[in-house]
Amino acid sequence: MNIQFINLKAQYKAYKDEIDTAIAEVLDSSAYVMGASVGELESNLSAFCGARYARAVSSGTDALLIALLALGTQRGDEVITTPFTFIATAEMIALLGAKPVFVDIDEMTYNIDPEKIESAITSRTKAIIPVSLYGLPADMDKINAIAKAHNLAVIEDACQSFGATYKSKYSCNLSYIGVTSFFPSKPLGCYGDGGAMFCNDEALDEKIGSILNHGQIGRYIHKYIGLNGRLDSLQCAVLNVKLRHFKEEIAKREQIARIYTENLHNLILPVIPQDRTSVYAQYSVRLTSGNREAVLEALQHRGVPTAVHYPLPLHLQESLAYLGYTKGAFPVSEKIAREIFSLPFSAFLSEQEQSYIIESLNALLG
Ligand SMILES: *Cc1c(COP(=O)(O)O)cnc(C)c1O
């Protein structure tokens, strides 16, 4: 069996006619940047998740950067976030000369622990960036309430959670700004780099739209310092097709996750609180005893690919060493980083493949 960690080829085959047609239309139009598919995608995204405004942007990383720029984040500001995430979350804070301030995660959801946020707030705090990790929204009501009490903005890093819900509202529409990524392996992916930003404030949306296009407010009239953060027409055309199938894929993902959860033993499995749904950007499990690396190697031998998201928390990364955090600073994140690993997962994982993965794991851990 040749199991793919994420089966993008099967997905392309399933939608090939529609995708090829959409791509051909863009090629024919020659409007490769700011073509019709861009505005179309923005309307579709906004309709999907219920946020009044959506902007297509060049990547999730750029979306984080643009969000921070839109808030006026600058040198000396502090931004609270989680150390258990992909580097981009903290990296964009640092890139602007602001200081990432880490708060440890909750052991059940792997998301920032709201109970620990308040003690990290100072007079320099500008914003909070919770991450909805592995596709599960963070506890946004609690986080928004803390932010409101201290007059801070909340940016949801929803790069892994587009399509998930929290108290029946869609991720990306749970805070002042929501940002997501359409990197190919994310729950909704394009065929290269891509992302989007969401908000419900017209003035903020205008500012975001301007910053992502060099701060322009009119042709060659630049109000803000910005960047080239546009998403090109081809990627938008691909996303418009994939979005039509996305709800169906989410249902499939939930079904596949349920089968893993019902059949795997001797591992700590994902826990989804009652008030949320997950899109399972990763189906990540924890091995609390035994040697993770040996288990992953044995799985590899049986043709089951795995990955570790993430092996080294951000406060221990060399690029952020100047922040002065040391080992032991965030014990929950450090523990989860030692125990976690992700299984092959996508809406196109076949029943046979999944049975084989489950049998292999249960045989190894039995
Ligand atoms: C993928 C990801 C990003 C970055 O998105 P890109 O589109 O790859 O730039 C940021 N934050 C998190 C949590 C991610 O998973």
Side-chain angles (χ1 to χ4, degrees):
M1 218 175 290
N2 179 26
I3 300 172
Q4 304 293 305
F5 187 66
I6 297 172
N7 199 340
L8 293 174
K9 203 179 268 184
Q11 189 198 40
Y12 172 54
K13 278 190 184 152
Y15 313 146
K16 187 175 187 323
D17 289 348
E18 286 173 84
I19 287 175
D20 290 357
T21 303
I23 287 175
E25 272 172 23
V26 175
L27 296 184
D28 261 341
S29 78
S30 82
Y32 306 128
V33 173
M34 300 202 285
S37 60
V38 182
E40 217 174 286
L41 176 66
E42 292 174 338
S43 314
N44 290 339
L45 290 172
S46 147
F48 183 97
C49 77
R52 200 164 303 151
Y53 303 101
R55 296 279 182 170
V57 296
S58 42
S59 70
T61 303
D62 289 343
L64 284 162
L65 180 61
I66 294 162
L68 287 163
L69 284 169
L71 296 180
T73 310
Q74 44 187 312
R75 199 161 289 280
D77 289 342
E78 295 178 358
V79 179
I80 292 172
T81 192
T82 158
F84 193 62
T85 174
F86 180 59
I87 185 73
T89 319
E91 189 183 27
M92 292 305 102
I93 301 166
L95 187 66
L96 288 174
K99 184 179 172 192
V101 173
F102 294 121
V103 166
D104 210 352
I105 57 171
D106 172 76
E107 182 158 354
M108 186 179 76
T109 63
Y110 311 135
N111 288 327
I112 195 167
D113 186 345
E115 309 303 326
K116 294 180 182 156
I117 290 177
E118 207 131 33
S119 62
I121 294 173
T122 74
S123 59
R124 300 186 149 204
T125 308
K126 181 94 184 167
I128 307 173
I129 309 185
V131 177
S132 296
L133 200 75
Y134 303 149
L136 176 71
D139 198 345
M140 297 303 289
D141 275 1
K142 280 193 187 160
I143 295 164
N144 285 326
I146 295 165
K148 194 172 176 199
H150 295 268
N151 200 22
L152 307 173
V154 177
I155 303 168
E156 184 198 6
D157 180 340
C159 284
Q160 303 186 4
S161 60
F162 186 74
T165 61
Y166 173 87
K167 300 186 180 174
S168 304
K169 273 180 86 177
Y170 275 102
S171 180
C172 290
N173 188 27
L174 302 174
S175 60
Y176 189 54
I177 305 177
V179 307
T180 196
S181 165
F182 301 127
F183 185 77
S185 60
K186 306 283 169 151
L188 178 65
C190 56
Y191 289 159
D193 284 298
M197 305 180 63
F198 300 85
C199 71
N200 288 292
D201 176 324
E202 188 177 5
L204 174 65
D205 173 67
E206 293 265 311
K207 190 171 183 184
I208 287 170
S210 170
I211 290 172
L212 73 82
N213 195 19
H214 300 289
Q216 275 204 149
I217 50 166
R219 197 163 172 80
Y220 304 124
I221 307 298
H222 305 273
K223 180 169 178 175
Y224 309 104
I225 294 296
L227 61 149
N228 175 355
R230 299 180 301 257
L231 185 60
D232 62 71
S233 312
L234 280 170
Q235 300 303 343
C236 293
V238 169
L239 286 163
N240 281 325
V241 172
K242 285 207 193 182
L243 197 54
R244 294 205 280 267
H245 301 278
F246 191 48
K247 283 201 173 148
E248 208 176 303
E249 284 198 15
I250 291 172
K252 201 82 213 300
R253 296 175 82 93
E254 284 179 327
Q255 183 193 338
I256 290 168
R258 193 156 49 238
I259 293 171
Y260 270 144
T261 300
E262 283 169 2
N263 292 285
L264 288 171
H265 309 297
N266 302 318
L267 288 163
I268 296 188
L269 304 174
V271 177
I272 312 301
Q274 283 290 320
D275 59 358
R276 286 165 241 190
T277 62
S278 176
V279 284
Y280 298 94
Q282 307 296 339
Y283 188 93
S284 298
V285 300
R286 276 159 61 205
L287 186 67
T288 53
S289 62
N291 183 336
R292 177 180 64 184
E293 273 54 45
V295 170
L296 299 192
E297 199 169 305
L299 285 170
Q300 187 65 48
H301 266 287
R302 291 170 186 238
V304 177
T306 55
V308 174
H309 306 95
Y310 296 92
L312 188 63
L314 301 192
H315 66 287
L316 302 176
Q317 298 285 350
E318 188 175 349
S319 61
L320 295 172
Y322 70 92
L323 295 172
Y325 290 109
T326 52
K327 218 170 170 167
F330 303 105
V332 184
S333 298
E334 292 171 34
K335 181 172 106 140
I336 305 304
R338 283 193 301 271
E339 298 177 348
I340 203 101
F341 63 97
S342 307
L343 298 177
F345 195 90
S346 68
F348 292 85
L349 186 69
S350 74
E351 255 174 64
Q352 299 91 303
E353 287 174 326
Q354 192 175 18
S355 301
Y356 179 80
I357 295 162
I358 290 166
E359 278 164 30
S360 300
L361 255 172
N362 284 341
L364 281 169
L365 301 176

